[in-house]
Amino acid sequence: MDVDAVRTFVVVADNGQFQAAADELGISQQAVSKRIAALERQLGVALLVRTTRGSRPSVDGQVFLPHARKVLTAVEQAEHAVRPGSRLLRVDVLNRRIAPAQAVYRFYRSRPDADLDAVTLGRENAAQAAQAVLEGTVDASFRAVPADQVPAGISAERIADAPLQLLVGPAHPMANAPSIRPADLAAHRIWVPGIRPGTEWSAFYDALAEEFGLSIDALGPNFGDEALMDALADSSSLATLVGAGDRYLWPQAHDLRRISLLDPTPVYPHTLLFRTGDRHPVLTDLRGYLRAAVPETSGDVWVPRWACM
């Protein structure tokens, strides 16, 4: 059904005159007549009764009129729902503990009026997350994606680099080091439970291990972050890697230590994926906030060769 024709019928019914309806709609009286005639042919009934004084709805027109108003209301609501800035911006932060999620949270704290919803597509890999952005399931997603694998229609902005740190318990031989080089970890076991093959996380850790000769494994069941913290606190040999801006909490008695990695600093290249040309004002503000608020890593850094620049 032609929405313009339905709108024209409602305006004629309200005004009682074809010319008045034409003036309100900004079209000619002839165009009004054609729209009404086409709608009547489609419905198989006469919607208007023409008189010397104008036009009024026929019996069928009176029945159709309230439904026509509902149609126009539904169309207006549908248009409003997808108009930039008129709905929530849905951002996939992957994991609520990691640096991008914390940055989005700080953005929201600075802009509590922003219509924003943070979601976690934790089971999807980068390609699946990009597809979710293309399909409109989410508006944006933080991922580490090879530059040559960014699909058409998607823009990729590397906007939240996360320097890695070593996290160890108090009995670990490196617990008191102010900083260490990645190559110095070659003789130590680094446990990162939950790495799933085929994800960008797996590709990143594979590249990191190959570059610096590290032993990074995800052996054993993943019982969650709390269990990982417990294991680190009780071990003199176990270590893991976390982002400098990641938020992990543990009991004070665990006395875990975050140790900076330098010469070079391995960086996880969080990249914001969004639909090219997306004009959602909250997305624009978020990108501007991240560019200004997320500190750049200084000094010598390492990222996988495949990362977006």
Side-chain angles (χ1 to χ4, degrees):
M1 185 174 293
D2 186 344
V3 174
D4 286 335
V6 174
R7 182 176 289 107
T8 301
F9 164 69
V10 171
V11 175
V12 171
D14 289 343
N15 285 278
Q17 299 283 341
F18 273 47
Q19 186 58 56
D23 292 342
E24 181 174 331
L25 294 170
I27 59 177
S28 67
Q29 183 175 339
Q30 183 181 19
V32 170
S33 297
K34 288 183 176 181
R35 288 181 181 181
I36 296 298
L39 184 60
E40 289 178 327
R41 283 197 301 273
Q42 183 177 8
L43 296 174
V45 297
L47 295 174
L48 295 168
V49 176
R50 283 76 165 175
T51 70
T52 56
R53 295 184 177 182
S55 299
R56 58 179 175 80
S58 65
V59 173
D60 289 319
Q62 294 173 37
V63 173
F64 181 68
L65 184 58
H67 298 290
R69 295 190 193 280
K70 290 181 181 179
V71 167
L72 297 180
T73 298
V75 169
E76 182 179 352
Q77 290 173 342
E79 291 176 344
H80 180 75
V82 297
R83 193 171 295 129
S86 62
R87 59 171 178 77
L88 288 172
L89 180 80
R90 287 173 55 81
V91 181
D92 164 38
V93 296
L94 183 61
N95 183 309
R96 298 190 192 281
R97 292 187 185 274
I98 63 176
Q102 300 305 309
V104 172
Y105 174 62
R106 290 192 295 273
F107 165 74
Y108 180 74
R109 288 285 299 271
S110 71
R111 281 275 314 274
D113 59 327
D115 290 328
L116 177 69
D117 185 20
V119 300
T120 55
L121 302 181
R123 302 301 299 177
E124 286 79 358
N125 60 27
Q128 293 166 331
Q131 187 62 33
V133 173
L134 275 177
E135 294 173 352
T137 304
V138 294
D139 296 292
S141 177
F142 285 95
R143 299 286 160 161
V145 58
D148 61 354
Q149 293 182 21
V150 177
I154 291 290
S155 293
E157 186 172 3
R158 208 176 104 193
I159 204 168
D161 280 358
L164 293 191
Q165 295 177 331
L166 191 71
L167 184 64
V168 298
H172 193 279
M174 294 184 172
N176 296 316
S179 64
I180 54 177
R181 298 183 307 142
D184 293 337
L185 298 175
H188 298 270
R189 181 192 174 203
I190 301 173
W191 187 39
V192 186
I195 300 176
R196 291 187 297 110
T199 63
E200 65 269 31
W201 290 96
S202 178
F204 173 83
Y205 284 119
D206 286 347
L208 181 66
E210 181 179 356
E211 180 73 19
F212 299 104
L214 307 184
S215 175
I216 300 175
D217 69 61
L219 299 177
N222 179 16
F223 288 106
D225 297 328
E226 289 75 13
L228 175 59
M229 303 300 128
D230 293 343
L232 292 172
D234 293 337
S235 175
S236 61
S237 61
L238 195 62
T240 195
L241 295 169
V242 296
D246 295 357
R247 186 177 185 182
Y248 291 95
L249 303 175
W250 53 79
Q252 185 174 359
H254 279 13
D255 194 22
L256 302 187
R257 319 288 176 84
R258 282 179 178 261
I259 303 170
S260 298
L261 300 178
L262 302 176
D263 299 324
T265 298
V267 165
Y268 192 88
H270 290 291
T271 301
L272 186 66
L273 306 179
F274 55 94
R275 287 185 299 280
T276 301
D278 191 333
R279 302 190 309 277
H280 198 298
V282 179
L283 176 62
T284 300
D285 290 349
L286 175 61
R287 291 169 57 201
Y289 174 88
L290 293 173
R291 284 193 292 266
V294 176
E296 292 187 5
T297 304
S298 59
D300 187 18
V301 300
W302 173 90
V303 294
R305 287 187 294 272
W306 46 259
C308 288
M309 300 304 293

